[in-house]
């Protein structure tokens, strides 16, 4: 669980089009047959949730060198962090658009459609016509995980949606830190930790895909009986192609891309007269990109998909959330409505203000139930040290522990010592709705792995490894009885590091997990 990722990282921050890093980036792109893509944007506040898409501030591109180069020069994958807040977007638009659509380059992502939508809107806003409309061929790592899972179980199973961190843990044996996920990605300069985190997120896509590719090839199912595409076959004419239907689609794809490429290079018009890239050299190097090697091509033919952005994807949707918010606002009195203030950051845990990036809350007595609910979804939620705390004590505790105070107490809200980013007034009445309200207001990212990952009694974290039944019985001696009906069930027990309470995955556990999947809408 605590093992470190092994691959050493080569991170290149690309912030200007005339830098050596930029040249390195374009060179790597034209030589790679597989790239991992991920994007980061500034978390948005709930006050203007659907007016526009967020602006993407960082695009991470992990490049896998072609198999031949890797074998000869023991080349490591390189990760490029494109600082979209400083680089003029028209200078990278065409390169990215070409790579996104190139049949020579397999694109990997984790639910990348959302990223592409935001990315496209960000580029449009800087005058890049229609942004991006497609990523093809594309393989989603979530799908890869499900295929591997089915192969392992040897049968068709319901698809599961695990977080990227959980997939990483399962397939690569190391964990991705989630702490910086909701840090401020528009802040410059990025911290070393942010860079490392961002790079890892893209690089692990390549690593997971390599595991997948190796397993697929080992099974022999993918390669057996399939054609081998020799480069001399690339010169086949139409007649031969039609005769050999197996080679047909791959060759057609490559040929049509070549044709498209010729059309593009001869008719290329540079938008808005901005040509900061050495266009000619880029074009010529692109022309020299090698088609994928045979093994990869077969995987792509079998599992490759595409992401297409339709017109309707390009506009923020009027969401259901809005309607629900409005109706809950309508139910409170007019007077109260006028005092409703939306959350305005930065949060005390924001790394730009010296925090660690992990959301932390302090729930006052009126919203104690919310604290338990937050813990159930893995969020750090403390309660006051004393039973009847003075407002000053609450504010001091929140300040000291870098927490946001959650309250429904109007008096507390008017307290003179209070800073506006230290307190949030919870509007909803019911615990489930309060939980959802806080998740939305603070843009908290909850995944299934976060559920039941924290002691609901004391807010403590669990031990790193589960205990066996015998160990649990021993550990529980004197304060907690382990029901004997649990013996011989081979259950895993988790102990809270702070209060020693033991938890196990019983029926109640599964019911609770399902409940919070529903409450947090993790299925949507
Ligand atoms: Zn505990």
């Amino acid at each position: 669980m605590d093992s470190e990722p092994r691959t050493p990282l080569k991170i290149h921050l690309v912030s200007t089009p005339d830098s050596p890093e930029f040249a390195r980036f374009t060179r790597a792109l034209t030589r790679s047959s597989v790239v991992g893509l991920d994007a980061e944007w500034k978390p948005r506040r709930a006050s203007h949730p659907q007016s526009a898409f967020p602006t993407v501030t960082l695009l991470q591109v992990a490049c896998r060198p072609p198999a031949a180069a890797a074998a000869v020069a023991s080349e490591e994958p390189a990760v490029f962090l494109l600082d979209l807040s400083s680089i003029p977007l028209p200078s990278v638009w065409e390169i990215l658009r070409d790579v996104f659509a190139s049949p020579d380059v397999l694109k990997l992502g984790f639910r990348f459609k959302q990223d592409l939508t935001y990315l496209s809107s960000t580029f449009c806003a800087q005058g890049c016509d229609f942004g991006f409309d497609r990523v093809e061929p594309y393989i989603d790592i979530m799908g890869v995980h499900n295929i591997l899972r089915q192969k392992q179980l040897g049968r068709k199973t319901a698809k599961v949606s695990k977080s990227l961190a959980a997939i990483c843990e399962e397939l690569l044996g190391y964990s991705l830190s989630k702490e910086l996920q909701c840090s401020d990605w528009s802040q410059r300069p990025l911290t070393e930790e942010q860079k490392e985190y961002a790079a890892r997120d893209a690089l692990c896509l390549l690593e997971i895909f390599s595991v997948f590719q190796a397993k697929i090839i080992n099974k022999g199912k993918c390669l057996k009986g399939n054609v081998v595409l020799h480069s001399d076959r690339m010169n086949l004419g139409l007649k031969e192609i039609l005769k050999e239907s197996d080679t047909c689609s791959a060759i057609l794809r490559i040929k049509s891309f070549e044709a498209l490429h010729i059309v593009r290079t001869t008719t290329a018009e540079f938008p808005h007269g901005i040509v900061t890239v050495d266009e000619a050299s880029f074009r010529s190097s692109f022309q020299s990109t090698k088609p994928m090697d045979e093994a990869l091509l077969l995987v792509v033919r079998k599992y490759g998909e595409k992401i297409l952005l339709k017109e309707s994807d390009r506009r923020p949707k009027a969401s259901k959330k809005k309607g629900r918010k409005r109706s809950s606002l309508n139910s409170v009195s007019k007077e109260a409505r006028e005092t409703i203030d939306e959350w305005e950051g930065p949060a005390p845990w924001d790394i730009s203000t010296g925090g660690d990036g992990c959301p932390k809350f302090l729930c006052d007595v009126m919203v104690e139930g919310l604290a338990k609910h937050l813990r159930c979804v893995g969020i750090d939620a403390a309660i006051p040290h004393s039973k009847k705390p003075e407002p000053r004590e609450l504010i001091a505790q929140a300040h000291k522990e870098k927490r946001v105070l959650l309250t429904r107490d109007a008096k507390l809200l008017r307290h003179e010592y209070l800073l506006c980013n230290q307190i949030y007034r919870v509007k909803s009445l019911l615990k489930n709705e309060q939980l959802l309200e806080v998740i939305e207001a603070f843009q908290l990212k909850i995944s299934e792995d976060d559920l039941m990952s924290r002691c609901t009694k004391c807010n403590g974290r669990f031990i790193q490894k589960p205990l066996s039944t015998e160990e649990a019985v021993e550990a529980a001696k004197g304060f907690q009885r382990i029901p004997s009906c649990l013996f011989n069930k081979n259950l895993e027990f988790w102990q809270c590091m702070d209060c020693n309470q033991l938890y196990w995955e019983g029926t109640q556990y599964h019911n609770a997990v399902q409940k919070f999947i529903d409450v947090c809408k993790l299925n949507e």
Side-chain angles (χ1 to χ4, degrees):
M1 237 175 188
D2 48 5
S3 65
E4 285 295 310
R6 300 137 302 160
T7 326
L9 268 186
K10 268 195 211 165
I11 306 177
H12 307 279
L13 185 65
V14 185
S15 340
T16 56
D18 46 14
S19 59
E21 295 293 300
F22 188 90
R24 204 167 281 147
F25 170 61
T26 53
R27 202 161 52 236
L29 272 186
T30 55
R31 298 177 64 236
S32 303
S33 47
V34 188
V35 297
L37 300 169
D38 189 28
E40 306 293 341
W41 49 88
K42 187 185 174 147
R44 287 174 314 158
R45 298 181 188 130
S47 50
H48 33 86
Q50 302 294 335
S51 54
F53 288 130
T55 303
V56 177
T57 55
L58 195 70
L59 175 68
Q60 302 103 284
V61 185
C63 297
R64 182 166 93 177
V72 174
S74 69
E75 230 179 306
E76 301 283 352
V79 190
F80 296 89
L81 306 181
L82 251 65
D83 184 353
L84 301 186
S85 65
S86 80
I87 205 161
L89 300 190
S91 66
V92 281
W93 176 48
E94 280 198 50
I95 304 167
L96 290 174
R97 199 189 51 187
D98 278 356
V99 168
F100 286 176
S102 166
D104 293 342
V105 185
L106 170 63
K107 276 71 64 177
L108 304 173
F110 185 75
R111 302 196 205 175
F112 192 67
K113 187 170 180 182
Q114 185 188 39
D115 302 49
L116 186 69
T117 309
Y118 294 175
L119 204 57
S120 188
S121 133
T122 302
F123 274 73
C124 283
Q126 277 203 28
C128 301
D129 284 356
F130 291 103
F132 306 103
D133 63 347
R134 66 175 58 226
V135 172
E136 182 185 14
Y138 168 78
I139 292 183
D140 200 291
I141 291 302
M142 175 109 74
V144 161
H145 173 248
N146 274 307
I147 295 165
L148 285 177
R149 206 168 146 262
Q150 292 200 346
K151 283 204 184 295
Q152 199 185 1
L153 296 170
R155 61 188 154 84
K156 277 226 176 285
T157 54
K159 286 190 176 148
V160 293
S161 48
K162 281 198 162 192
S163 68
L164 184 58
I167 295 174
C168 227
E169 183 93 48
E170 185 182 324
L171 297 177
L172 303 177
Y174 70 76
S175 45
L176 283 178
S177 156
K178 284 187 265 183
E179 279 172 27
L180 296 171
Q181 208 164 49
C182 41
S183 65
D184 186 355
W185 290 100
S186 62
Q187 199 75 32
R188 291 294 179 274
L190 294 167
T191 65
E192 287 306 310
E193 289 75 25
Q194 277 181 311
K195 283 189 223 166
E196 165 105 18
Y197 168 88
R200 285 282 171 210
D201 252 15
L203 183 67
C204 76
L205 301 170
L206 292 184
E207 294 175 334
I208 293 169
F209 181 74
S210 293
V211 170
F212 173 68
Q213 223 185 336
K215 289 205 173 157
I216 292 290
I217 290 168
N218 283 345
K219 289 262 174 182
K221 280 182 189 159
C222 183
L223 290 179
K224 207 183 289 170
N226 268 319
V227 281
V228 178
L229 262 179
H230 289 297
S231 51
D232 58 12
R233 292 196 171 193
M234 296 304 296
N235 297 321
L236 290 180
L238 186 59
K239 207 170 151 194
E240 289 87 345
I241 287 174
L242 291 175
K243 257 192 237 161
E244 294 189 43
S245 62
D246 280 346
T247 41
C248 181
S249 88
I251 291 177
L252 276 185
R253 217 189 285 189
I254 292 159
K255 289 223 175 234
S256 66
F257 182 70
E258 281 174 355
L260 182 70
H261 177 75
I262 293 166
V263 172
R264 279 221 196 123
T265 43
T266 49
T267 60
E269 278 176 54
F270 305 126
H272 317 290
I274 300 168
V275 189
T276 24
V277 197
D278 183 356
E279 196 70 30
S281 76
F282 169 66
R283 288 290 164 194
S284 62
S285 61
F286 206 84
Q287 209 156 23
S288 67
T289 53
K290 299 276 182 309
M292 294 174 184
D293 65 57
E294 291 130 22
L296 182 59
L297 198 55
L298 293 168
V299 175
V300 170
R301 281 174 66 187
K302 188 158 180 190
Y303 300 101
E305 304 167 70
K306 58 184 160 192
I307 306 177
L308 293 178
L309 287 191
K310 292 183 299 223
E311 242 347 271
S312 57
D313 296 322
R314 294 173 173 277
R315 285 182 302 271
K317 289 191 180 73
S319 83
K320 289 170 258 163
K321 288 176 197 165
K322 234 181 182 174
R324 198 180 55 239
K325 269 209 177 122
R326 224 175 267 141
S327 63
S328 70
L329 286 184
N330 285 340
S331 63
V332 298
S333 72
K334 191 169 177 258
E335 192 190 329
R337 203 184 312 165
E338 278 163 2
T339 62
I340 283 175
D341 42 348
E342 291 295 345
W343 165 251
E344 293 284 331
W349 56 77
D350 201 295
I351 37 179
S352 65
T353 59
D356 61 5
C358 292
K360 283 179 278 294
F361 298 97
L362 174 62
C363 297
D364 91 344
V365 189
M366 291 175 87
V367 289
E368 246 185 45
L370 174 59
K372 289 226 160 92
H373 266 47
L374 283 165
R375 292 167 185 173
C376 284
V377 300
I379 302 287
D380 187 337
I383 52 168
H385 293 316
S386 62
K387 280 256 186 281
K388 282 186 181 171
E390 290 291 321
R392 255 173 207 259
E393 290 174 57
L394 276 178
I395 294 166
Q397 184 184 351
H399 184 72
K400 191 170 164 228
E401 297 170 6
K402 289 194 157 77
R403 297 176 183 279
V404 165
L405 185 53
L406 300 177
T407 186
R408 288 183 53 80
D409 185 343
K411 260 194 293 183
L412 194 55
L413 280 153
R414 289 195 296 266
H415 205 279
E416 54 181 322
Y417 293 112
L418 206 58
L419 299 173
C420 62
N421 71 337
Q422 276 183 332
I423 195 160
Y424 175 81
R425 197 180 96 91
V426 181
K427 286 130 209 153
S428 313
L429 279 169
L430 301 171
K431 275 187 290 183
N432 288 351
E433 288 175 13
Q434 288 178 343
L435 177 63
L436 198 61
E437 180 189 330
V438 172
I439 289 174
E440 285 177 358
F442 292 89
Q443 302 274 309
L444 306 177
K445 291 183 184 171
I446 311 282
S447 76
E448 238 181 283
D449 296 307
D450 299 319
L451 303 182
M452 306 301 147
S453 63
R454 191 177 278 278
C455 179
T456 51
K457 282 200 168 169
C458 81
N459 195 37
R461 300 310 307 253
F462 294 142
I463 47 170
Q464 290 284 304
K465 283 205 174 91
L467 302 177
S468 66
T469 311
E470 297 77 45
E471 289 168 323
V473 170
E474 188 59 34
K477 258 182 192 161
F479 73 97
Q480 192 182 354
R481 203 181 67 84
I482 306 291
S484 54
C485 63
L486 298 178
F487 297 172
N488 303 321
K489 281 198 176 163
N490 209 12
L491 291 175
E492 288 186 345
F493 290 80
W494 296 90
Q495 188 167 33
C496 171
M497 289 194 282
D498 290 345
C499 74
N500 296 328
Q501 176 78 22
L502 284 146
Y503 295 82
W504 56 87
E505 299 194 359
T507 327
Q508 278 183 330
Y509 167 90
H510 290 291
N511 291 345
V513 166
Q514 194 50 53
K515 173 187 155 178
F516 284 103
I517 287 177
D518 294 340
V519 172
C520 301
K521 305 188 193 310
L522 296 185
N523 279 337
E524 281 176 16

